Amino acid sequence: MSAEKQTVFLSGASGYIAQQTVKQLLDSGKFKVIGSVRSEEKGNSLAKNFNSPDLSFVYVKDISSETAFDDAFKQYGSEIDYVVHTASPVAFDVTDINKDLIVPAKIGSTGIFKASVKYAPNLKHFVITSSSFAILDLLRENDHSLHLNEQSWNPITYEDSLKDAVQGYCYSKKIAEQTVWKLGKELNVKFGITAINPTYVLGPQCFDSSVTSVLNVSCEFVNKLIHSKSDSEIDKTFVGPNIDVRDVARAHIEPLLNSEKFNGQRLLLSNGRFGAQSIVDILNEIPQLKGKIAVGTPHSDDDILNRMSVINNEKTKELLGFEFISLEKSIKDTASQILKVEGKL
């Protein structure tokens, strides 16, 4: 006789990382998922794509209200075994950094965590999708003497965060994660807590229908280069650490399978570094693109690790125990999906 499936409440279920996480949860055969979405339209679209009896939805329109999750948890709290909180604003064209980025990130984390404590008596583990931006210091990205690991925190202050949207986003992820750790101690919770801190996330969308003319922030780097011209200039200023979305999804699920092992841990998800040149070097290996897109200066990013701050995430790799997907596979799988949708494969 098979074991009864456990229930995961996953906020922000329509997101890029969230959809891949839902897919892996359902594919495992071990879980039922209650996903929060902002609208009935988003819920109907996901329901159609996943077509699973183990997936249901609740509607949470505005996570910047501290009681946004209360109704859902009052209704389903007794059923919930795990919470995966992925919902948080990702936008850089905002007009009010505090209102549009910081407040919803902080209040959203506060609201769902308090709702979990108050209404989910059987909760075993709480996972928050944080970010490497809560760890990295963007002002010292080119400082090779800076060494970062799972214990590091971005030193950005609230005052600095208001200078531009990128710094505002960094601070929003930092304060959202710190809020969860703080509440965990203040409320003396009995369930486990894990933060997932991914770097730039690459890899295919969960469904081809999610491939649009403009993609999520990280994948848009690839999308733009796929649609570049052979004489296009390469932006040599952009460099960053990378991880595949499928590995990020898996990292969200591992703590649910072994709460004690992952309790109190921050998982820094990075598998090296890349720049725009790294991307076009890989894209130019694809026959449908070779000779049609930007070339730049091939392999000029090969020494990128020697130019940037050092990320040491050996503890994360040891905890997870699986090999990360390569940058080459991430880029090629992303490109193949885009080309397929555009009818070019």
Side-chain angles (χ1 to χ4, degrees), residues 125-145:
H125 209 93
F126 186 101
V127 177
I128 179 172
T129 309
S130 184
S131 170
S132 63
F133 286 134
I135 290 176
L136 305 179
D137 181 351
L138 292 191
L139 300 180
R140 295 182 64 190
E141 269 285 77
N142 293 312
D143 182 355
H144 192 59
S145 69

Side-chain angles (χ1 to χ4, degrees), residues 148-304:
L148 301 157
N149 59 31
E150 292 87 355
Q151 281 72 51
S152 304
W153 284 96
N154 188 332
I156 190 170
T157 63
Y158 174 71
E159 289 71 28
D160 287 338
S161 75
L162 301 179
K163 293 177 180 177
D164 62 68
V166 173
Q167 293 191 72
Y169 177 71
C170 290
Y171 185 81
S172 78
K173 298 307 291 186
K174 173 183 176 179
I175 197 67
E177 185 191 337
Q178 287 182 335
T179 295
V180 165
W181 291 121
K182 182 181 177 185
L183 286 172
K185 288 183 178 179
E186 288 179 355
L187 300 175
N188 193 28
V189 300
K190 304 305 180 188
F191 52 80
I193 302 174
T194 302
I196 310 297
N197 300 78
T199 49
Y200 285 103
V201 184
L202 301 168
Q205 308 295 315
C206 191
F207 299 102
D208 291 351
S209 58
S210 297
V211 177
T212 52
S213 58
V214 178
L215 300 177
N216 52 292
V217 175
S218 297
C219 289
E220 185 58 20
F221 297 134
V222 182
N223 192 34
K224 283 182 177 178
L225 289 168
I226 287 173
H227 296 99
S228 63
K229 305 297 183 184
S230 58
D231 58 351
S232 296
E233 292 289 323
I234 298 296
D235 178 8
K236 297 186 184 301
T237 62
F238 172 75
V239 290
N242 58 275
I243 191 71
D244 190 276
V245 65
R246 293 158 291 191
D247 289 334
V248 179
R250 187 172 175 182
H252 278 78
I253 297 168
E254 288 297 320
L256 314 187
L257 303 173
N258 192 336
S259 179
E260 185 177 352
K261 178 181 179 182
F262 288 92
N263 183 26
Q265 300 295 340
R266 303 173 83 202
L267 302 182
L268 176 51
L269 302 180
S270 176
N271 193 30
R273 288 185 175 271
F274 74 110
Q277 186 63 56
S278 314
I279 297 174
V280 295
D281 286 349
I282 295 168
L283 291 177
N284 275 293
E285 295 175 5
I286 299 173
Q288 289 84 354
L289 297 176
K290 187 174 178 63
K292 299 177 182 178
I293 64 168
V295 176
T297 307
H299 301 292
S300 56
D301 274 349
D302 286 0
D303 67 339
I304 201 167

Side-chain angles (χ1 to χ4, degrees), residues 103-121:
V103 169
K106 181 178 181 179
I107 299 301
S109 292
T110 301
I112 193 169
F113 195 87
K114 286 186 174 180
S116 298
V117 174
K118 193 171 182 180
Y119 301 113

